[in-house]
Amino acid sequence: MSNDVRGYINFLGDKNLTPLLISIEKKYNIGIKKIKADELYNFPSSILSSNNEAKFIFIIGDDNEYYNASFLIDYLDYAPEANIEFPIAAKDRLNILLDVMSDLIRIANASKMVISITECNQIEIIKRINFSEMRDVIHADFEEYQGPPDTLYEIIC
């Protein structure tokens, strides 16, 4: 399986996000890598922005070398003796991803984040939500599907 978290943020101006991204990576022990627009697999063309706002296109991974989000979004509770560098409870690991998303939005002063959370790069549902409801909606989707919801979220800030 290829648990995958990829997307983009829109923001105004010419910010250099690199130093801020490094601080987020260290803070949460994850990886954030800049990718090209053609790596936004299965994103509908209607959702790919064509406005004049700067975009930062990214993938988030469990570490900064292997950009797969298996631990962050598999939604399984691990045994107490599991040797992973994240909490063993699925909800706690999902909260790390949501914290990373929130920090990305805040540091860039983003107007919008579009992000897919999928098991195999297949987007089944598109949801437009407000930043204020992001945590509740994504937690509810994980509870409903008991795993990655194969959903593309357009988060309006």
Side-chain angles (χ1 to χ4, degrees), residues 1-5 68-70 73-76 116-124 142 145-151:
M1 285 186 254
S2 175
N3 291 342
D4 201 50
V5 177
N68 182 288
S70 292
I73 66 171
D74 67 4
Y75 216 61
L76 298 171
S116 65
I117 302 175
T118 63
E119 188 169 27
C120 294
N121 292 318
Q122 296 302 312
I123 296 169
E124 302 292 331
F142 270 82
Y145 295 103
Q146 288 298 296
D150 294 337
T151 299

Side-chain angles (χ1 to χ4, degrees), residues 17-138:
L17 297 182
T18 303
L20 300 168
L21 295 175
I22 291 169
S23 69
I24 291 174
E25 287 178 324
K26 288 180 181 178
K27 179 178 179 181
Y28 297 106
N29 198 30
I30 54 97
I32 304 170
K33 178 181 170 185
K34 186 174 183 175
I35 60 173
K36 297 177 182 172
D38 64 355
E39 295 176 84
L40 293 174
Y41 305 127
N42 298 313
F43 276 48
S45 58
S46 62
I47 213 82
L48 293 172
S49 179
S50 62
N51 56 32
N52 293 330
E53 293 182 35
K55 285 187 213 171
F56 177 74
I57 305 168
F58 61 87
I59 186 169
I60 297 173
D62 292 337
D63 64 42
N64 62 4
E65 292 181 18
Y66 183 63
Y67 293 93
N68 182 288
S70 292
F71 292 126
L72 291 174
I73 66 171
D74 67 4
Y75 216 61
L76 298 171
D77 288 339
Y78 294 108
E81 65 274 3
N83 187 15
I84 63 172
E85 295 188 24
F86 293 103
I88 58 173
K91 289 179 183 178
D92 293 341
R93 293 191 313 276
L94 179 57
N95 279 330
I96 291 171
L97 175 62
L98 294 171
D99 290 344
V100 168
M101 291 167 57
S102 294
D103 282 2
L104 277 171
I105 288 168
R106 285 187 191 107
I107 65 166
N109 195 21
S111 58
K112 175 170 72 171
M113 173 184 276
V114 177
I115 191 164
S116 65
I117 302 175
T118 63
E119 188 169 27
C120 294
N121 292 318
Q122 296 302 312
I123 296 169
E124 302 292 331
I125 300 167
I126 298 173
K127 290 188 175 182
R128 188 171 202 222
I129 60 175
N130 290 316
F131 177 64
S132 62
E133 62 185 343
M134 177 183 77
R135 285 183 180 276
D136 292 339
V137 169
I138 294 175

